Amino acid sequence: GRYLGLATLLDNVVFALGVSIFVRTPRDLLLVGSAAVGAATLALAYGLVQALGKDPIPWEGGLFFSTLGNSGPFAGYLLTVSAGAAAILVVGYTRLGWASRVSLSLFSAACLMGVLNAGSRASALALLPVAAVLVVLALRQHAAGLLRARPRLAAAGALWVVLVASV
């Protein structure tokens, strides 16, 4: 009756349009990406404190929700940030240095672990279309030389898709 999912979807569409209008240069992308990574890192760190049972504020149920108040939206947020990091990694792979590649990979994996730890079925199921979009992005971006020039990238991508599909 309250249509909260519809409101969240509309909120996400407005946010995505705002980001697409704002981000015009690599510097803009760096600023937006840094803000997203910083916020997600802080939320993930507090969620880890909760998961370890060290939260100074006692909560009932032992849920993993960080500062978002509910594990479902927290998992959705982490999935969105993880997918964004993975998309930047896939699209900008040839232009990124090894430190950026490793950092984005570790950050994306940490967010995925947070998604799984939050216990949200909807976000866990959303991993499948996210994986499909990332595979399409990778094929579109690197179609000519993906399997020939980047066998390790292709193998890592296939492993990631299998791991996500097994959830």
Side-chain angles (χ1 to χ4, degrees):
R2 297 182 341 184
Y3 300 107
L4 294 178
L6 185 59
T8 301
L9 178 66
L10 182 60
D11 178 45
N12 290 340
V13 168
V14 170
F15 178 72
L17 287 173
V19 169
S20 68
I21 291 169
F22 174 72
V23 175
R24 292 290 177 215
T25 66
R27 184 174 185 275
D28 293 342
L29 180 61
L30 181 65
L31 289 172
V32 171
S34 297
V37 167
T41 300
L42 291 174
L44 198 55
Y46 185 56
L48 181 62
V49 168
Q50 287 177 329
L52 296 173
K54 304 295 184 189
D55 192 348
I57 303 169
W59 302 101
E60 292 182 23
L63 293 176
F64 181 73
F65 56 83
S66 186
T67 58
L68 275 73
N70 190 312
S71 61
F74 183 49
Y77 170 70
L78 290 177
L79 179 62
T80 302
V81 174
S82 175
I88 291 170
L89 181 64
V90 167
V91 172
Y93 185 83
T94 57
R95 295 181 299 269
L96 295 172
W98 69 269
S100 297
R101 292 176 192 166
V102 170
S103 298
L104 284 169
S105 298
L106 292 175
F107 178 72
S108 184
C111 288
L112 283 177
M113 293 305 294
V115 169
L116 297 176
N117 198 26
S120 169
R121 282 183 289 157
S123 294
L125 290 174
L127 288 171
L128 294 174
V130 166
V133 168
L134 288 173
V135 167
V136 169
L137 270 177
L139 290 174
R140 183 171 183 253
Q141 194 72 17
H142 308 284
L146 183 64
L147 294 177
R148 185 174 15 88
R150 303 267 187 227
R152 287 177 290 187
L153 175 64
L159 178 63
W160 193 83
V161 169
V162 168
L163 288 174
V164 167
S166 68
V167 173

